[in-house]
């Protein structure tokens, strides 16, 4: 016997003839002149349109609905008109007539809104309607309309370039560079750069540059950047004009905007490129704003500033207080910024032993460690071993006693105290702890015996190369982040997990198997082939991952994966191995293991919760209203539940594990 069709969900969509009902709502609201009811009806039309339901039969009613002074209704109607006009040329004519009429409205907001919607019709046969409307709007008395018209010129240009270049649109656009509205000028500069890109962009005259510079403080940060980009194309006539420009722009160096400060920096350097004597003064002037910007900005922005400093240092003697720059960077910047500083070649100050010997007092104490000079004046008061023992070495070389009591990484921690390096120091500066940790130790029994000259039937060259690559990652790439995360009790970054997956380390800690072929670049760059991988290779990786000595960070990288992934690799279906496992292996996703009867001796007994199906019978709730993905209660079947428009890709064994009743009849338990 045929089964009746399932009932449709409640809401608007269970009614028949939705479009007819909406037409009645629109006509009724217009007849009653009830603005709120009319607005609600238009909202429903837009909602249907957004969901993909064809409501184009309501085009005539929506055109009539545009006859209102309510801006909210206007915006929704224009959205509807533009959406259907682009796909239906017959409807486009009606839409254009409505929009052209509103382009002549008394309200400037409606004029600008109608013009913006009209220009959104990117159809080649619409240019004849767009060009007059935009031309008229370029001369409008309201700045908002002119600003919108400027963007309209660019849209026409991309539809038909000749309409802009061969008509009055381009001359009108150039005249707006001198407009009294700063927003119009900003848009105009950007528009001219796009329209004249084939000619090298807009080339400003002396009059234009003078007018823009005199008004530059009235522009927004975005507008100031547009003017500064334009200024890079301008060639100054003489030295007097150069100083005038620099005097005007000098106040912009006080801005908090990094884009403005860096743009001014570029202009200052370009203007004085042929005057080395003046450029050195310019570099000194730029030092303060750049260091301030670097200290106040995020680590990503600090890196960008350091790249600019690197470029500046290449233009002359490196005398921009290098030690001050290093101290700031080491105390406030991310590892990437520190590496950028190191690559910039900033040389530390060269200090003689005689100069160090002068700093031998409690209020002025320097010491020498491995040829580097450190100012410990302020640090002495918080020295863990006491102030007096540190001051005994003031003005002296403390290298031998320092290494007798401290590890190498202590120096890395206090790089901000470094003043410079001895002029007569022998050899290169001491290596950082991360560099030393990446090397194989020569201390007896500090490494496996096969690394210290002994033969082994179990290990070969592939194990040695794999250990080198794994150590580079765990003792090099992860060390800075590991120490920071361990101190702050934060999780490893997603980028580091992805990097681990890219190297194949996540795959290798699961042991031999077909999953080793998933990383596209091979295992640590191909040092060992998947078919040659053994459990001894896995042991090498497991040993190296412990070298950061940050157990919380190590578990955060792949602890959960090492627990949950083996289950998928051994018992998962082919679909799970093909769809679920690869993103986990590559570090893009993670996996967790759900433990049942946790109270029966498990180490997660304190996390006892109960999952309960909601009223719809489709979603599982855990704890205080938190919801898991939906799970159909079938015998180990994959659900077709919709989530964010995509299929749920996780198999469920709820019914198999808990029987016919499962979690449904149990009461929710608040988490401890």
């Amino acid at each position: 016997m045929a089964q009746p069709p399932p009932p449709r969900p409640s809401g608007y969509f269970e009614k028949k003839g939705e479009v007819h009902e909406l037409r009645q709502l629109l006509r009724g609201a217009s007849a009653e002149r009830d603005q709120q009811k009319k607005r609600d009806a238009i909202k429903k039309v837009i909602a249907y349109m957004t969901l993909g339901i064809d409501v184009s039969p309501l085009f005539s009613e929506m055109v009539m609905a545009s006859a209102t002074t309510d801006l909210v209704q206007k915006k929704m109607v224009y959205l509807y008109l533009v959406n259907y006009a682009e796909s239906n040329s017959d409807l486009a004519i009606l839409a254009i007539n409505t929009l052209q009429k509103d382009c002549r409205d008394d309200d400037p907001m409606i004029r600008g809104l109608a013009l913006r919607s009209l220009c959104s019709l990117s159809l080649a046969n619409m240019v004849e309607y767009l060009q007059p409307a935009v031309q008229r709007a370029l001369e409008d008395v309201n700045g908002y309309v002119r600003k919108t018209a400027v963007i309209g010129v660019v849209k026409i240009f991309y539809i038909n370039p000749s309409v802009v270049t061969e008509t009055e649109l381009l001359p009108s656009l150039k005249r707006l560079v001198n407009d009294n509205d700063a927003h119009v000028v900003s848009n105009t500069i950007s528009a001219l750069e796009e329209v004249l890109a084939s000619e090298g962009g807009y080339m400003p005259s002396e009059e234009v540059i003078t007018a823009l510079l005199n008004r530059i403080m009235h522009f927004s940060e975005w507008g100031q950047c547009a003017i500064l980009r334009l200024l890079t194309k301008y060639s100054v006539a003489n030295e007097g004009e150069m100083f005038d420009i620099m005097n005007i722009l000098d106040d912009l160096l006080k801005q908090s905007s990094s884009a403005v400060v860096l743009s001014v920096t570029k202009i200052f350097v370009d203007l004085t490129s042929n005057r080395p004597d003046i450029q050195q003064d310019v570099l000194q002037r730029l030092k303060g704003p750049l260091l301030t910007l670097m200290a106040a900005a995020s680590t990503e922005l600090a890196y960008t500033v350091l790249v600019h400093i690197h470029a500046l240092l290449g233009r002359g003697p490196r005398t921009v207080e290098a030690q001050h720059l290093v101290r700031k960077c080491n105390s406030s910047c991310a590892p990437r910024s520190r590496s950028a500083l190191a690559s910039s070649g900033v040389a530390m100050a060269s200090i003689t032993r005689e100069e160090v010997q002068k700093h031998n007092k409690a209020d002025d104490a320097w010491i020498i460690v491995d040829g580097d000079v450190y100012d410990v004046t302020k640090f002495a008061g918080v020295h863990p071993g006491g102030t007096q023992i540190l001051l005994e070495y003031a003005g002296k070389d403390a290298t031998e006693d320092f290494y007798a009591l401290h590890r190498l990484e202590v120096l890395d921690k206090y790089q901000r105290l470094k003043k410079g390096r001895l002029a007569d120091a022998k050899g290169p500066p001491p290596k950082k702890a991360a560099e030393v940790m990446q090397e194989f130790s020569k201390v007896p029994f500090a490494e496996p015996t096969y690394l210290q000259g002994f033969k082994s039937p179990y290990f070969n060259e592939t194990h040695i190369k794999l250990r080198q690559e794994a150590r580079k990652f765990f003792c090099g790439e992860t060390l800075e982040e590991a120490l920071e995360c361990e101190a702050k009790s934060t999780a490893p970054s997603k980028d580091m997990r992805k990097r681990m997956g890219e190297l194949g380390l996540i795959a290798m800690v699961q042991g031999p198997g077909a999953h080793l072929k998933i990383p596209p670049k091979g295992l640590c760059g191909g040092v060992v082939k998947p078919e040659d991988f053994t459990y001894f290779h896995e042991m090498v990786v497991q040993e190296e991952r412990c070298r950061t000595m940050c157990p919380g960070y190590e578990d955060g990288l792949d602890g959960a994966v090492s627990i949950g992934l083996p289950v998928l690799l051994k018992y998962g279906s082919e679909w799970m191995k093909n769809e679920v496992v690869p993103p986990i292996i590559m570090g893009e996703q993670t996996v967790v293991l759900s433990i049942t009867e946790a109270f029966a001796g498990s180490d997660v007994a304190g996390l006892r919760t109960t999952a309960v199906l909601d009223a719809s019978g489709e979603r599982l709730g855990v704890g205080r209203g938190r919801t898991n993905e939906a799970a159909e209660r079938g015998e180990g079947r994959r659900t077709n539940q919709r989530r964010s428009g995509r299929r749920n890709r996780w198999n469920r064994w709820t019914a198999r594990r808990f029987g016919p009743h499962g979690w449904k009849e149990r009461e929710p338990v608040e988490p401890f």
Side-chain angles (χ1 to χ4, degrees), residues 33 52 104 212 296 320 323 338 429 437 445 470 489 497 542:
R33 298 186 179 180
R104 297 182 176 88
L212 292 176
V320 191
Q323 65 275 18
R338 296 173 194 160
M437 290 176 66
F445 306 107
S489 298
R497 287 197 186 99
Q542 296 286 14

Side-chain angles (χ1 to χ4, degrees), residues 322-590:
Q323 65 275 18
H324 180 55
L325 178 60
V326 171
R327 187 162 60 249
K328 273 185 172 291
C329 182
N330 284 324
S331 62
S332 62
C333 294
R336 188 182 180 196
S337 299
R338 296 173 194 160
S339 63
L341 180 65
S343 66
S344 67
V346 176
M348 294 298 295
S350 180
I351 305 173
T352 63
R353 291 184 181 271
E354 291 74 17
E355 185 177 355
V356 175
Q357 292 171 1
K358 297 176 183 178
H359 302 272
N360 57 1
K361 302 176 183 178
D363 58 349
D364 185 15
W366 291 7
I367 64 171
I368 303 171
V369 177
D370 239 348
D372 289 333
V373 179
Y374 296 85
D375 183 352
V376 296
T377 307
K378 297 181 180 179
F379 174 72
V382 295
H383 181 235
T387 304
Q388 190 57 40
I389 190 172
L390 189 61
L391 293 179
E392 289 179 5
Y393 294 92
K396 303 177 184 177
D397 192 328
T399 303
E400 185 176 349
D401 290 340
F402 175 85
Y403 283 118
L405 299 171
H406 302 85
R407 295 182 300 179
L408 178 61
E409 51 263 36
V410 173
L411 289 179
D412 295 345
K413 184 178 179 181
Y414 294 104
Q415 286 294 302
R416 65 182 185 276
L417 304 179
K418 188 183 294 186
K419 296 291 293 183
R421 185 161 177 80
L422 285 178
D424 60 349
K426 297 180 180 179
K431 295 181 179 180
K432 292 187 176 182
E435 297 174 354
V436 175
M437 290 176 66
Q438 295 178 43
E439 300 174 352
F440 290 151
S441 176
K442 296 180 181 180
V443 177
F445 306 107
E447 300 281 3
T449 54
Y450 69 89
L451 293 177
Q452 297 186 331
F454 293 88
K455 298 291 184 181
S456 171
Y458 308 107
F459 299 94
N460 54 38
E461 190 66 25
T462 62
H463 296 88
I464 297 175
K465 291 181 179 179
L466 178 60
R467 188 178 292 274
Q468 287 176 328
E469 295 301 319
R471 189 170 295 188
K472 285 180 183 178
F473 175 75
F474 289 110
C475 295
E477 295 185 43
T478 69
L479 186 60
E480 292 277 359
E481 183 178 283
L483 295 173
E484 183 177 350
C485 290
E486 200 77 3
K488 297 181 179 180
S489 298
T490 55
S493 66
K494 293 181 180 179
D495 290 340
M496 196 60 72
R497 287 197 186 99
K498 290 181 180 179
R499 175 61 176 158
M500 189 175 179
E502 179 186 343
L503 292 173
L505 294 170
I506 296 178
M508 286 189 278
V509 295
Q510 313 306 323
H515 60 278
L516 295 172
K517 299 179 180 179
I518 293 177
K521 297 182 180 179
L523 305 178
C524 283
V527 296
V528 57
K529 298 179 180 179
E531 56 269 22
D532 297 334
F533 192 87
T534 67
Y535 286 106
F536 287 105
H537 290 97
E538 180 194 350
M539 183 177 72
V540 168
V541 177
Q542 296 286 14
E543 289 176 352
E544 292 303 320
R545 69 189 291 271
C546 300
R547 283 187 172 272
T548 58
M549 294 176 286
C550 299
Y553 182 82
E554 296 164 16
D555 287 343
L557 276 177
D558 70 337
V561 173
S562 297
I563 296 174
L565 187 55
V567 180
L568 298 178
L569 294 175
K570 188 170 184 179
Y571 300 108
S573 64
E574 286 302 315
W575 173 85
M576 298 179 80
K577 292 178 181 179
N578 294 333
E579 298 291 333
V580 178
V581 170
I584 298 175
I585 290 289
M586 295 305 297
E588 298 168 0
Q589 297 181 10
T590 187

Side-chain angles (χ1 to χ4, degrees), residues 87-278:
S87 58
N88 191 319
S89 57
D90 295 333
L91 298 179
I93 299 299
L94 290 175
I96 286 177
N97 291 336
T98 302
L99 294 172
Q100 282 185 322
K101 175 178 174 295
D102 285 344
C103 283
R104 297 182 176 88
D105 196 275
D106 293 334
D107 188 342
M109 293 299 295
I110 294 179
R111 293 202 302 272
L113 187 60
L115 182 64
R116 186 176 66 181
S117 301
L118 184 62
C119 294
S120 297
L121 299 174
S122 302
L123 304 173
N125 59 347
M126 297 298 166
V127 174
E128 59 179 309
Y129 303 102
L130 299 179
Q131 193 266 337
V134 172
Q135 181 69 60
R136 183 171 56 253
L138 288 173
E139 301 171 1
D140 198 278
V141 295
N142 185 269
Y144 170 71
V145 180
R146 296 197 302 274
K147 180 181 71 171
T148 306
V150 169
I151 302 301
V153 174
V154 180
K155 292 185 176 181
I156 294 176
F157 177 78
Y158 284 115
I159 297 174
N160 190 340
S162 61
V163 174
V164 175
T165 57
E166 298 176 4
T167 64
E168 282 298 312
L169 287 177
L170 186 57
S172 298
L173 191 63
K174 290 182 177 180
R175 286 195 293 270
L176 289 181
V177 174
N178 296 317
D179 196 272
N180 57 5
D181 190 305
H183 296 291
V184 175
V185 176
S186 301
N187 280 15
T188 302
I189 294 174
S190 298
L192 286 171
E193 288 290 300
E194 292 195 43
V195 172
L196 301 175
S198 60
E199 303 175 9
Y202 176 58
M203 304 303 293
S205 63
E206 180 181 355
E207 293 76 12
V208 170
I209 288 295
T210 302
L212 292 176
L213 289 177
N214 287 334
R215 300 172 51 201
I216 194 169
M217 300 307 295
H218 297 92
F219 286 77
S220 64
E221 294 175 2
W222 181 81
Q224 289 173 349
C225 289
I227 295 174
L228 294 173
R229 284 196 301 270
L230 199 62
L231 188 57
T232 58
K233 301 180 180 182
Y234 179 70
S235 299
V236 295
N238 49 57
E239 187 175 287
E241 187 178 10
M242 178 187 72
F243 285 120
D244 288 341
I245 293 175
M246 293 174 64
N247 287 332
I248 294 173
L249 298 183
D250 189 75
D251 288 339
L252 294 180
L253 291 174
K254 303 174 185 177
Q255 287 263 25
S256 60
S257 170
S258 58
V260 174
V261 173
L262 295 179
S263 296
V264 174
T265 299
K266 182 179 186 302
I267 291 172
F268 273 27
V269 173
D270 288 345
L271 288 175
T272 58
S273 58
N274 297 325
R275 294 291 304 273
D277 54 330
I278 300 177

